[in-house]
Amino acid sequence: MFSIRANILKKACSVLGRGHRGDRKVKDKVIEGTLKKIEIDEAVTDLNVAGGVEDMYGEDLASQDQPITPWTMTVASGHALMRDPHHNKGIAFTEKERDAHYLRGLLPPATFSQDLQVKRFMHIIRKYDVPLHKYIAMIDLQERDERLFYKILIDHVEELLPIVYTPVVGEACQKYSEIFMRPQGLYISLKEKGRILEVLKNWPEKSVQVIVVTDGERILGLGDLGCQGMGIPVGKLALYTALGGIRPSACLPITIDVGTNNKKLLEDEFYIGLRHKRATGQEYAELLEEFMTAVKQNYGEKILIQFEDFANHNAFELLTKYRSSHLAFNDDIQGTASVVLSGLLASLKLIGGTLADHTFLFLGAGEAGTGIAELIALEISKQTNDPVEQCRRRVWLVDSKGLIVESRKDTLQHFKQPWAHEHEPVKGLLEAVKAIKPTVLIGTSGVGKTFTKEVIEAMASINEKPLILALSNPTSQSECTAEEAYTWSEGRAIFASGSPFDPVEYNGKVFTPGQSNNAYIFPGFGLGLIMSGTIRVHDDLLLAASEALASQVTEENYKKGLIYPPFTNIRQISAHVAAKVAAKAYELGLASRLPRPRDLYKFAESCMYSPVYRSYL
Ligand SMILES: NC(=O)C1=CN([C@@H]2O[C@H](COP(=O)(O)OP(=O)(O)OC[C@H]3O[C@@H](n4cnc5c(N)ncnc54)[C@H](OP(=O)(O)O)[C@@H]3O)[C@@H](O)[C@H]2O)C=CC1
Ligand SMILES: CC(=O)C(=O)O
Ligand SMILES: [Mg+2]
């Protein structure tokens, strides 16, 4: 007990040493408060977590996340407490808190509950006609009152996901310099070469557990947006918290700026990034190497690094290079593969057969296309015991030059080569559909309107229930709309898309399209890795995530033609994904958090951040 108390005291003093410059009396009071909280935390941790695993989400359970506690801050100034988004409660500060923390007079007299604040914000945001204005209002809230932001996002996930994520985040990135107000995330540019570790140390949070990083070269299907790509890591990490329960202070969005080849941005006087062409080759590789090394040095071996929206010429290379030395994962290649495989597994209930009975045709043979293709082949191989090379023959891909076939092999990028099967050359998608006769058509081209009426009709003439996945984001780049898929297939298509579409009425029947987006996977996947202390990402973990997600599709969902569950229950879904990923990691000997918690689902739930306001009394 003594040593625990001494330890607690040490923790409290270090808290104060860094953050507090007040007098001795105040310092004692804070130590006392901190002591009490830490003692409670340790008890709660023991209760919540089977197997004596330490609490990692200090923020909810209190201590770890507060180098400067609200108490110390408010002694200095109530105004500063209100300006701190981690602790601000706005008009929800109670009468007692207003007295205790020098807030009296700084707020209007009324006090609202958090729920009433949620209601008020939704009332306001629903009045905005322009989606980008809703995005700006959400970001503004995130920067003002973090817990209210997450409460609102969690409680209205179906309504607000399209705002903070695709499609509206795409428009936000296109106009990022224009709407830029307060910087979010960390910018690492070529100017910081040789000083990246120093830059990381400028980030105020010390216990970061997940980084989403982009270099802005392939932002959704919108191309090179340079430094303006920051909206993507910020949005992805908002989902890590809202959908996967990773506490906000553990999330670090990073944009690496090596320039841009986007002429419009280079000529824009308000562009916020480096104003020159992209660095490539050795210069690029050296910056990334320094970044990857510094990240591990600063945050340790188990920091999760999610590569996001890199162009494919860098994405595959970075993944290959760093997946064996870091806990690194590429969302566009691997997260997308996992979510699509899940949809395919679920779809078998509707279209029949096993995975190996189907023929898959892709439009687009880049990160998403070949990533999905590889995981399909791996799963078929596991199910049939056939070699993976043989299973790849069930999968065909079309790129901008036509069907990928053996005769093109010498000129193909390395990630396309495994898909160069024996076949005569075929130019366009329609011809490929007619030649290959796929049962499943998947769009990963980044080009809108490429699933034409003729293509969908051809799919519908081959299949009783054609499975059509138009995965490209944002909505403008979707290979077809939900309405087109249902109408042109005469209501027979099973359809899902990367960005959401509203339900469609066709011939007096309402069709509800699903959303096939890696947002179903990466938040729960990341939680599973973090809570189990997993040290590397293995393909079997992706398969485990796919199966976990597919198992969450209910009979009711299937009746509506859905192959994904709705986002309304996403936190439970993420907990299931996390539990299965962690279980697989333990089975493979990749999990370092020992002993293994008995009930991984409950453990996942207990780790999740809750955005409910805390009492500061
Ligand atoms: N729903 C989801 O969860 C996800 C969706 N995506 C979306 O997928 C899209 C593609 O992303 P990603 O794979 O990373 O991009 P890549 O740039 O890596 O790949 C794009 C592929 O599409 C091909 N292509 C481009 N234009 C055409 C065309 N007109 N006809 C046929 N093929 C074409 C390219 O051909 P070539 O190689 O010849 O240039 C390339 O093979 C994006 O819109 C992205 O938003 C990505 C990840 C997740
Ligand atoms: C969803 C996603 O990761 C993308 O479109 O790039
Ligand atoms: Mg992406």
Side-chain angles (χ1 to χ4, degrees), residues 362-366 368-370 397-400 404 442-446 479:
F362 286 77
L363 183 73
T370 62
L397 294 102
V398 172
D399 67 6
S400 65
I404 295 182
I442 304 178
T444 51
S445 63
E479 282 78 5

Side-chain angles (χ1 to χ4, degrees), residues 107-137:
L107 291 159
T111 56
F112 284 11
S113 66
Q114 194 178 16
D115 285 341
L116 188 57
Q117 281 185 308
V118 171
K119 189 173 170 190
R120 178 173 171 271
F121 186 88
M122 290 310 295
H123 175 72
I124 296 165
I125 205 173
R126 282 175 182 148
K127 289 189 175 166
Y128 295 163
D129 292 330
V130 180
L132 188 62
H133 293 169
K134 295 188 187 207
Y135 175 87
I136 295 169

Side-chain angles (χ1 to χ4, degrees), residues 18 35 47 113 120 187 217 324 414 431 459 493 594 615:
R18 266 181 286 156
L35 274 171
L47 283 178
S113 66
R120 178 173 171 271
Y187 292 89
E217 194 170 1
S324 55
H414 65 92
E431 294 72 26
M459 283 297 291
L594 297 170
S615 166

